[in-house]
Amino acid sequence: WDGRLDRYASKWMDEREVVNGSGPLLFCVTLFAYLLTLLTNGVVAGVIALDKSLHRPMFIMICHLVACDLLGATTMLPRLMVHFVTGNKKISYVVAIAQAFCVHTYGASVQTILAVMAYDR
């Protein structure tokens, strides 16, 4: 390992600068999107959990989609908000691997659930 990949990644990240002064605005927009995601998915899951007539396979799969959506949003948005506030774009190797694992799990889960929902119809 001679560090070429690290230099390339660092150069690539330096080219993607947040415009000076827009960090707090981008943080607020991202925070709003994250809170809206949490609220709407919580409402959907709560309605399905409380209404006994919705305890059917299609609605159970929708609850699984809600859980996947929460995983996807929680994987990306909090780290993005930290970047906007602090300007620090570096993360440790372990955190990067965990984030990549969660993103790939999210993608595979959503694809699987949507395929099962399509088959169920």
Side-chain angles (χ1 to χ4, degrees):
W1 169 261
D2 60 2
R4 283 184 288 180
L5 182 61
D6 191 39
R7 285 192 303 269
Y8 174 76
S10 179
K11 180 181 180 292
W12 184 83
M13 287 174 56
D14 287 340
E15 293 172 357
R16 274 103 185 121
E17 290 291 329
V18 175
V19 177
N20 288 338
S22 65
L25 174 65
L26 292 172
F27 172 80
C28 290
V29 169
T30 309
L31 179 63
F32 177 74
Y34 184 57
L35 292 176
L36 187 65
T37 301
L38 294 178
L39 177 69
T40 55
N41 285 318
V43 168
V44 170
V47 166
I48 292 173
L50 293 176
D51 191 354
K52 298 286 186 196
S53 68
L54 298 178
H55 291 186
R56 295 188 315 220
M58 186 58 71
F59 292 105
I60 299 301
M61 286 184 273
I62 289 174
C63 274
H64 285 94
L65 278 176
V66 164
C68 284
D69 192 32
L70 291 174
L71 171 69
T74 303
T75 298
M76 295 304 295
L77 293 179
R79 182 71 199 152
L80 191 62
M81 288 186 285
V82 168
H83 163 65
F84 288 146
V85 170
T86 64
N88 184 11
K89 296 181 274 188
K90 298 185 190 245
I91 61 174
S92 69
Y93 180 75
V94 174
V95 174
I97 294 297
Q99 189 176 28
F101 175 77
C102 289
V103 167
H104 284 85
T105 301
Y106 163 71
S109 299
V110 167
Q111 293 293 325
T112 303
I113 292 168
L114 290 174
V116 170
M117 289 175 79
Y119 183 76
D120 186 48
R121 275 285 160 204

